[in-house]
Amino acid sequence: MSTAQSEKQALFITSIIIFWYSSNIGVLLLNKLLLSNYGFSFPIFLTMCHMSACAVLSNVSIVFLKIVPFQRIKSKSQFFRISTLSIVFCGSVVGGNISLRYLPVSFNQAVGATTPFFTALFAYLITLKREAWLTYGCLVPVVVGVVIASGGEPSFHLYGFIMCIGATAARAFKSVLQGVLLSSEGERLNSMNLLLYMSPIAVLVLLPATLVMEPNVLDVTATLATEHRYLCLLILVNSAMAYGANLLNFLVTKHTSALTLQVLGNAKGAVAVVISILLFRNPVTFIGIAGYTMTVMGVVAYGEAKRRYK
């Protein structure tokens, strides 16, 4: 590869990493802004907006723009498995959005960093897959850090914390379940085609849930839109960014590696915490920061131990 081509490749990879950071952190902060600062207390409806955007934009990017090859569903059992994943995915996103109503982004990210703990737990329970003892040992500071951060969090809210833990566990469960349900070579889908099929199913699940649990969402949104004229635009941008985060997640993994994505993800959490504290000015304590730092260091050590003992 020539020097010019290498520079172009490096520039491209740097660009998608920057856009990936921006979209992921942007979705998180906009979710918090909408659910806490605008009085838009409809996390299920917001999740449905995200999934609707993913359904539409997935079709545009895969079927029409052909960004990735289109993969068809080959059997009823494969469709059932994808539907199961979609329901679990819905639970994780809804739980995460509900938690943002009650918890600051900084604490939300601290709890979310425990995903490897739940992934290791579910991997063992479902597949009986064991890691090296040192790998499991690295998960101890991950959990202890969150316990410390919880004790030092001035804005701690029990219901928000339970929703956040539930969302984190569901996210980990989905990743393990995905590996089990779509493990055969003929039924494996890349993440963008999986999203193409999961998102419409998610909308069908979330629509009745919205009508039952958030029946006044349209009336309240219309009222809020008169007070905040950019509200509808923010919801649209937020929904489009939710799809963009998934697309860029796929591109970063494709052009770098899963390990690079994991390292970048750890750093992204810390960046999101700093930006959220500056933006929302939520109070933080030294104990809370120490707990979160311990969790992130545990996640980094876990990733390194898993790589070495693979």
Side-chain angles (χ1 to χ4, degrees):
M1 189 182 287
S2 66
T3 306
Q5 285 178 316
S6 298
E7 288 178 353
K8 281 184 179 179
Q9 181 71 4
L11 180 62
F12 173 73
I13 292 172
T14 303
S15 299
I16 60 174
I17 288 172
I18 291 170
F19 284 125
W20 176 75
Y21 258 75
S22 303
S23 61
N24 274 274
I25 295 173
V27 168
L28 185 66
L29 297 178
L30 271 177
N31 283 350
K32 179 64 178 175
L33 187 71
L34 287 165
L35 293 167
S36 295
N37 292 39
Y38 274 75
F40 180 80
S41 54
F42 303 106
I44 301 174
F45 177 73
L46 184 61
T47 306
M48 191 178 76
C49 290
H50 289 182
M51 292 298 100
S52 299
C54 287
V56 173
L57 295 175
S58 289
N59 274 282
V60 172
S61 61
I62 295 174
V63 178
F64 295 103
L65 299 180
K66 302 186 187 303
I67 291 176
V68 294
F70 175 64
Q71 296 173 292
R72 295 184 183 278
I73 294 179
K74 296 180 179 178
S75 64
K76 287 182 179 179
S77 64
Q78 188 185 17
F79 175 75
F80 175 75
R81 293 167 186 173
I82 291 169
S83 300
T84 304
L85 286 173
S86 182
I87 292 168
V88 175
F89 182 58
C90 277
S92 70
V93 179
V94 170
N97 285 341
I98 290 173
S99 74
L100 284 171
R101 280 189 62 194
Y102 303 99
L103 299 175
V105 172
S106 53
F107 188 58
N108 176 280
Q109 288 294 286
V111 176
T114 61
T115 302
F117 168 78
F118 289 105
T119 304
L121 176 64
F122 288 129
Y124 177 73
L125 292 175
I126 295 172
T127 67
L128 298 179
K129 180 184 175 184
R130 292 187 179 184
E131 304 285 355
W133 284 110
L134 180 61
T135 307
Y136 287 125
C138 293
L139 290 172
V140 174
V142 173
V143 177
V144 172
V146 169
V147 173
I148 293 171
S150 302
E153 176 54 55
S155 307
F156 182 82
H157 190 283
L158 182 59
Y159 178 64
F161 177 71
I162 291 170
M163 286 292 104
C164 198
I165 284 285
T168 304
R171 190 161 53 244
F173 183 58
K174 184 249 176 188
S175 67
V176 174
L177 204 60
Q178 184 175 327
V180 174
L181 296 182
L182 301 176
S183 57
S184 66
E185 195 63 40
E187 294 191 346
R188 192 175 295 139
L189 300 174
N190 64 47
S191 60
M192 296 317 298
N193 274 275
L194 186 59
L195 186 66
L196 172 71
Y197 293 116
M198 279 173 52
S199 46
I201 297 168
V203 172
L204 291 176
V205 171
L206 291 167
L207 181 59
T210 302
L211 293 173
V212 172
M213 301 176 73
E214 300 173 348
N216 61 336
V217 60
L218 295 179
D219 291 337
V220 174
T221 303
T223 304
L224 288 171
T226 59
E227 300 172 17
H228 310 284
R229 56 179 176 171
Y230 296 115
L231 178 68
C232 292
L233 179 62
L234 281 176
I235 294 172
L236 283 172
V237 170
N238 183 229
S239 301
M241 285 176 75
Y243 173 73
N246 282 284
L247 175 61
L248 289 161
N249 192 77
F250 171 78
L251 291 174
V252 170
T253 307
K254 181 182 177 182
H255 292 281
T256 56
S257 67
L259 179 63
T260 302
L261 188 74
Q262 186 181 36
V263 173
L264 290 171
N266 294 336
K268 181 202 70 169
V271 172
V273 167
V274 172
I275 293 174
S276 71
I277 291 169
L278 293 173
L279 189 65
F280 297 109
R281 306 204 176 274
N282 54 283
V284 289
T285 63
F286 175 77
I287 294 174
I289 293 171
Y292 179 67
T293 303
M294 182 184 289
T295 295
V296 172
M297 288 175 68
V299 171
V300 172
Y302 171 78
E304 181 61 21
K306 195 171 180 181
R307 184 182 67 82
R308 287 190 179 186
Y309 290 96
K310 199 168 184 179

